[in-house]
Amino acid sequence: MSAPTPFVDFHFGNSTTDYDVRIINGLTKTLEVTAGNGVAATFKVNGGYQCRTGTAGGYGGSLYNFNWASNAMQMFVDSSNVGTINVTSSDRELKENIEYQTDTKIAYDEVKQWRPAMFDMKVRGALSANRGLLGFIANDIKEISPEVVKGTGLPEGVDLENDDLSGMYYLDPMAAIAKLTLAIQHMQGELVELKELLNTQTP
């Protein structure tokens, strides 16, 4: 099709009125999908997206997709759920029922039980094995600080190739930082008390 602004219209349900969906070449080298009557268009992909490496590289062999679930964006490569993209917003105007946390002792008692671990990630669909990683086991931390862990957890013996992994546990980075901040504040308070005690001691 050749025109100053070429387009293709689709009329759902044999409608003879305005278009239902339009694909328009409004800018050079650009396609836009829009809906009629000022309604937002929905673009569904049966499969996934495939992109170049950069703007001029070759196409990769895998497809990717995103899924919004429980205030977090899940990312899929081929059929593998490879992780969650957390959305963090800290502006006061976006929040309500704010309760500042001041019990630093509880946070300290919890954090000192967190157990950093070295581990290997198993092969998981499109993800290859990853060796010698340092981090945490979310299942362990959930038993101590449940508000730091999201997800419902995977059953023991889950099939990493064929089963649905969307419920896997993952750490909420902002919640973990907040918990660590409270623990540091507790240690700082104890340090101040020790300094004051030392200052009262006679030589």
Side-chain angles (χ1 to χ4, degrees), residues 83-119:
T84 302
I85 302 173
N86 292 297
V87 179
T88 57
S89 302
S90 293
D91 194 291
R92 178 191 295 273
E93 296 305 313
L94 300 175
K95 303 175 181 180
E96 60 183 1
N97 303 322
I98 298 171
E99 296 180 7
Y100 288 103
Q101 302 298 295
T102 58
D103 200 330
T104 60
K105 179 64 165 60
I106 289 179
Y108 172 76
D109 289 340
E110 290 180 13
V111 169
K112 71 181 182 180
Q113 297 180 69
W114 292 8
R115 296 187 296 169
M118 295 292 298
F119 52 86

Side-chain angles (χ1 to χ4, degrees), residues 114 137-153 169 171:
W114 292 8
I137 309 302
N139 308 59
D140 296 340
I141 292 185
K142 184 173 177 61
E143 297 178 3
I144 303 165
S145 307
E147 65 274 37
V148 173
V149 179
K150 303 298 183 184
T152 56
Y169 285 140
L171 298 183

Side-chain angles (χ1 to χ4, degrees), residues 6-40:
F7 60 87
V8 178
D9 282 351
F10 297 86
H11 298 266
F12 183 77
N14 296 320
S15 171
T16 58
T17 59
D18 203 357
Y19 64 88
D20 185 64
V21 175
R22 170 177 287 179
I23 299 177
I24 183 171
N25 183 195
L27 296 171
T28 180
K29 298 180 177 63
T30 302
L31 282 179
E32 176 185 354
V33 179
T34 185
N37 300 318
V39 179

Side-chain angles (χ1 to χ4, degrees), residues 167-180:
M168 60 184 171
Y169 285 140
Y170 63 93
L171 298 183
D172 181 337
M174 192 56 64
I177 291 172
K179 185 74 70 173
L180 289 167

Side-chain angles (χ1 to χ4, degrees), residues 148-165:
V148 173
V149 179
K150 303 298 183 184
T152 56
L154 298 178
E156 186 175 352
V158 62
D159 186 339
L160 299 182
E161 293 293 330
N162 301 305
D163 291 345
D164 180 12
L165 307 181

